Amino acid sequence: MAEDEVPKTEPGLFDLDAVVVGQPKRSRWRRYLGPALAVSTPEGATLASLTCTDDTHYVLTHTSGEVIVRIEHSGPAEFRFTDAAHREVGNAGAPGLFKSLQLGLRTDQGRHLFLTRPGLPFTQWHLTETAPEGVPTQGILGRVTVSTIDSWIGLQQYVVDMDPRLEAGDRRTVVAAVICLHLLRRPPGDSAAPA
């Protein structure tokens, strides 16, 4: 390889326009000990996994074990995101009675994003940018579509489609927010139907 050539690598997690956040498949008959959620390509290649350190702290790591983002659940629907060095890189919060209908996000660059779905029967959330006062400022920047991949156990997956206008930091916040949506809809250990 010539000195000026750069080795080709696979795209990183936040270079992709689409990822899948979902509960890994498991046996119905054995106790499951794996990660709470996995982040993969639409083709199924695992990129990262989420583990719970306790009821309020979660860590998303690359398959190599490198920390991508830590998620701290504080209050009924407030989340704080920090990086491997424990610097805050964003947050999310859900106002209102139905916590899984809307989620306000703030990225590490101060960008305000908003995930919302029209009502409980809908399976898709839209991602928009908002002005500081909460008014949408432009078109849809992404979509999050939920589906059940195992109706017996009730395993869920979220397909996250993101607009090329989103930068890596924005995408990190969106992926973390989708994890938060799952935690609001399906708290760890909760066998009730999702909201």
Side-chain angles (χ1 to χ4, degrees):
M1 181 185 302
E3 285 183 27
D4 58 346
E5 283 185 45
V6 177
K8 292 183 179 179
T9 59
E10 293 298 315
L13 171 57
F14 303 119
D15 297 327
L16 299 171
D17 289 336
V19 296
V20 177
V21 177
Q23 294 175 280
K25 292 188 177 179
R26 58 201 72 179
S27 168
R28 296 178 178 112
W29 317 115
R30 289 189 214 131
R31 185 169 180 226
Y32 177 72
L33 300 173
L37 294 172
V39 181
S40 61
T41 65
E43 296 75 32
T46 302
L47 302 167
S49 60
L50 182 81
T51 55
C52 307
T53 57
D54 60 37
D55 287 345
T56 58
H57 293 85
Y58 307 87
V59 181
L60 183 67
T61 56
H62 286 290
T63 53
S64 66
E66 178 188 356
V67 172
I68 299 169
V69 67
R70 290 182 172 87
I71 300 171
E72 180 184 352
H73 189 176
S74 58
E78 298 295 321
F79 300 88
R80 181 174 168 257
F81 310 144
T82 56
D83 64 11
H86 299 281
R87 293 180 299 244
E88 186 165 345
V89 293
N91 59 50
L97 180 61
F98 294 103
K99 302 297 185 191
S100 65
L101 288 180
Q102 52 189 351
L103 200 60
L105 323 176
R106 187 187 53 77
T107 70
D108 59 345
Q109 299 297 316
R111 191 172 189 182
H112 294 269
L113 301 171
F114 197 60
L115 267 173
T116 184
R117 67 176 168 156
L120 291 175
F122 293 85
T123 60
Q124 190 174 86
W125 287 261
H126 290 170
L127 178 71
T128 56
E129 185 168 10
T130 63
E133 59 275 5
V135 179
T137 59
Q138 54 181 295
I140 294 173
L141 292 172
R143 289 178 173 79
V144 177
T145 307
V146 66
S147 60
T148 300
I149 56 172
D150 186 324
S151 57
W152 179 276
I153 302 175
L155 301 181
Q156 302 284 300
Q157 78 171 14
Y158 302 78
V159 177
V160 185
D161 293 301
M162 295 175 279
D163 191 281
R165 291 176 284 177
L166 293 173
E167 297 177 3
D170 301 333
R171 291 167 189 247
R172 175 179 55 200
T173 300
V174 171
V175 170
V178 171
I179 290 168
C180 297
L181 273 180
H182 177 78
L183 295 173
L184 290 171
R185 296 179 74 240
R186 303 284 303 242
D190 183 19
S191 60

